[in-house]
Amino acid sequence: MSRVWEIMTFTVPAYAATSANEPLAPFTVERRDVGPKDVRIDIKYSGICHSDIHTARSEWGPANYPVVVGHEIAGVVAEVGADVTRHKVGDRVGVGCMVDSCRECENCLAGDEQYCRKGNTGTYNSVTADGGTTQGGYAAGIVVTEDFVLSIPEGVELDVAAPLLCAGITTYSPLRHWNAGPGKKVAVVGLGGLGHMAVKIAHAMGAEVTVLSQSLKKQEDGLKLGADHYFATSDPDTFAQLDSSFDLIVNTVSARIDVTAYLRLLKVDGTMVNVGAPEDPLEVNAFALIGGRRSWAGSNIGGIRETQEMLDFCAEHHLGAEIEVIGADQINEAYERVLASDVRYRFVIDASTFA
Ligand SMILES: [Zn+2]
Ligand SMILES: [Zn+2]
């Protein structure tokens, strides 16, 4: 044996990307055996996030192929290690975008593991301490250290809970941080996977919610999801009419937008927060910031403690994602439909179809 230690593993059926330009295909992924602090999860549902597509196609830099993507995982605990205290066999659990972090930097200690100074360990395509790479949720099972496993409370079904682990926390965290609630006017830019959750959550928090979408195509949906108002950004009157009217704008759009025009929709002290990011830098006219003591901010998912808070909040308010459940053999077709914005509002893979 060439190594003094050996990591024992087992395998589960999965789907993987093997190169940037080939479709995802059936794959057998290795998982580590359950260690003392590990939880083995039978995955029931796995959401499809736009980040999965970027990674599978190496659009955010070269991926470590073969890569199993997926970071919106909902399932049931199948086995726990000897020292696990937070979860037990049979519990309904979820895993989001991170599976570990350094746990000792100031940000980890503050519960903001997503901003770990050493970089958090992503659920997929992240290099681990032993030199391997993490493999994500498009699979029948996964092993994760207990501290990065969330509890999915009664009150939210596993299929509609899966997208909460990325789309839910990505929108909940900035809404909470910038105090969306009664008396606050919140605008959500874009009504897609992230945007539809932002509308539901902001409404449940008690804010007055406005959707700013390119057209009025999804207006009926938006109002049903909890929006009070709906405007088309393709109509130039929209920007004149809504001048200086919002406390908070959550921008979920990853494409280039006219940031300055949106900043002018904020009241004095208002904040626009980006959760989507286009590849190229965005431009801003500083006068739009100065003219109203406005802020332009960004936000990345949420810490583990806040993710649990979000799940508890969603359960309490009976909130889940609007989903279309698919089988594993429909993943590639679903990717094309995500890119064409032809999904209302999240694809979720039935993990029994990985078998
Ligand atoms: Zn995601
Ligand atoms: Zn850290």
Side-chain angles (χ1 to χ4, degrees):
M1 222 165 63
S2 61
R3 291 188 296 186
V4 285
W5 46 266
E6 192 82 36
I7 299 174
M8 301 298 289
T9 62
F10 65 100
T11 61
V12 290
Y15 255 59
T18 51
S19 82
N21 37 37
E22 261 158 300
L24 273 64
F27 181 71
T28 302
V29 66
E30 277 188 37
R31 302 297 193 194
R32 66 172 182 263
D33 268 353
V34 173
K37 298 284 279 175
D38 281 339
V39 174
R40 178 164 66 83
I41 301 164
D42 278 343
I43 300 177
K44 298 298 182 191
Y45 295 96
S46 200
I48 292 181
C49 172
H50 208 140
S51 309
D52 303 349
I53 304 176
H54 286 303
T55 301
R57 298 184 175 180
S58 283
E59 290 166 355
W60 285 344
N64 301 299
Y65 297 108
V67 60
V68 175
V69 295
H71 59 204
E72 294 184 337
I73 299 166
V76 174
V77 175
E79 184 183 351
V80 295
D83 299 338
V84 168
T85 56
R86 295 165 65 146
H87 306 283
K88 59 181 194 309
V89 173
D91 283 358
R92 291 150 32 95
V93 293
V95 178
C97 305
M98 308 178 278
V99 289
D100 212 342
S101 71
C102 87
R103 304 171 189 230
E104 54 188 28
C105 73
E106 62 191 294
N107 297 338
C108 283
L109 293 176
D112 287 324
E113 300 91 349
Q114 76 276 33
Y115 304 125
C116 176
R117 295 290 299 274
K118 291 174 188 158
N120 67 65
T121 306
T123 301
Y124 57 75
N125 198 42
S126 252
V127 177
T128 53
D130 60 24
T133 52
T134 54
Q135 301 285 14
Y138 294 7
I142 192 168
V143 175
V144 177
T145 184
E146 69 163 335
D147 293 339
F148 284 74
V149 175
L150 291 308
S151 298
I152 297 177
E154 298 300 323
V156 53
E157 296 301 322
L158 290 181
D159 53 356
V160 300
L164 299 180
L165 277 305
C166 175
I169 186 59
T170 298
T171 49
Y172 178 92
S173 183
L175 288 166
R176 196 46 105 201
H177 184 81
W178 279 282
N179 302 310
K184 290 291 173 71
K185 292 189 175 181
V186 174
V188 175
V189 184
L191 193 67
L194 292 172
H196 96 287
M197 284 314 308
V199 169
K200 285 188 175 205
I201 293 169
H203 174 71
M205 287 175 171
E208 184 178 331
V209 183
T210 299
V211 174
L212 303 174
S213 184
Q214 243 172 348
S215 73
L216 296 178
K217 248 185 355 205
K218 300 179 185 167
Q219 181 172 24
E220 205 178 308
D221 273 14
L223 298 177
K224 238 185 279 172
L225 295 170
D228 301 283
H229 317 282
Y230 203 106
F231 289 89
T233 52
S234 53
D235 179 353
D237 281 352
T238 293
F239 288 89
Q241 205 180 332
L242 297 176
D243 184 72
S244 302
S245 50
F246 299 110
D247 298 287
L248 176 63
I249 298 175
V250 179
N251 176 23
T252 71
V253 172
S254 307
R256 276 189 87 77
I257 64 161
D258 182 352
V259 176
T260 301
Y262 284 89
L263 286 170
R264 294 207 161 101
L265 303 185
L266 291 168
K267 294 180 190 178
V268 169
D269 287 332
T271 300
M272 173 152 117
V273 54
N274 271 56
V275 293
E279 281 164 48
D280 300 321
L282 290 166
E283 263 177 28
V284 61
N285 182 333
F287 286 108
L289 295 168
I290 294 167
R293 199 163 55 196
R294 299 174 176 119
S295 302
W296 184 29
S299 180
N300 180 29
I301 51 173
I304 293 298
R305 188 167 59 220
E306 191 175 46
T307 304
Q308 189 61 58
E309 179 190 303
M310 176 278 304
L311 288 167
D312 295 345
F313 176 90
C314 287
E316 187 188 323
H317 294 271
H318 301 288
L319 294 185
E322 302 297 307
I323 59 167
E324 184 176 328
V325 177
I326 61 167
D329 59 350
Q330 294 169 281
I331 292 172
N332 294 301
E333 185 193 323
Y335 274 20
E336 295 310 316
R337 287 184 53 199
V338 169
L339 296 174
S341 299
D342 177 26
V343 52
R344 293 192 181 185
Y345 284 87
R346 206 64 151 176
F347 285 113
V348 170
I349 308 159
D350 175 350
S352 69
T353 61
F354 288 118

